[in-house]
Amino acid sequence: QVQLVESGGGLVHIGESLTLSCVVSGNIYNPNTMGWYRQRPGKYREPVATITSDGQTESVAGRFTISRDIARSTVYLQMDNLQPEDTATYYCNVLLGKAPWPSDRDFWGQGTPVTVSS
């Protein structure tokens, strides 16, 4: 079993930065893809950034940077120049192995809320 615990969310003002952390534990193996997703109020969950076990990254915007510290089993999301539309609950995810990913290889954290205020 795999567990993910996010932290770092909170209230920030427009233009500020925030770094989210996700500690991953359990039976993690390669290949894998770790990612951050968010669900804005009244919207579906959407991807923000992903990073593979061989270090390839994707992000929906240049002000979102994903990284991982293998020694600390932690995935980070650095968010810069935050805007009110970034207000959401941010979730950490890990996908184990190759697609497709059944439920026993697709794991989610409980989420951490981020509010961007003017």
Side-chain angles (χ1 to χ4, degrees):
Q1 188 71 335
V2 174
Q3 293 183 331
L4 300 92
V5 180
E6 303 103 330
S7 61
L11 174 65
V12 296
H13 294 99
I14 292 175
E16 293 184 341
S17 297
L18 198 62
T19 299
L20 306 181
S21 301
C22 173
V23 177
V24 184
S25 61
N27 184 24
I28 304 296
Y29 54 85
N30 294 336
N32 63 72
T33 300
M34 296 188 177
W36 286 95
Y37 294 73
R38 69 183 182 186
Q39 188 163 12
R40 294 183 276 188
K43 303 291 186 181
Y44 291 106
R45 192 173 297 186
E46 59 186 358
V48 176
T50 60
I51 184 167
T52 65
S53 48
D54 59 3
Q56 296 184 27
T57 61
E58 291 188 5
S59 175
V60 297
R63 55 195 184 87
F64 297 131
T65 304
I66 190 170
S67 62
R68 63 195 294 174
D69 184 333
I70 296 175
R72 290 180 169 83
S73 300
T74 302
V75 181
Y76 303 98
L77 181 67
Q78 170 74 32
M79 304 186 291
D80 298 318
N81 189 25
L82 284 162
Q83 301 297 313
E85 56 266 32
D86 297 319
T87 294
T89 298
Y90 285 74
Y91 296 91
C92 184
N93 169 261
V94 60
L95 301 170
L96 300 178
K98 297 181 179 180
W101 293 285
S103 59
D104 63 349
R105 292 195 288 118
D106 180 1
F107 300 95
W108 294 88
Q110 80 289 350
T112 185
V114 172
T115 302
V116 184
S117 172
S118 57

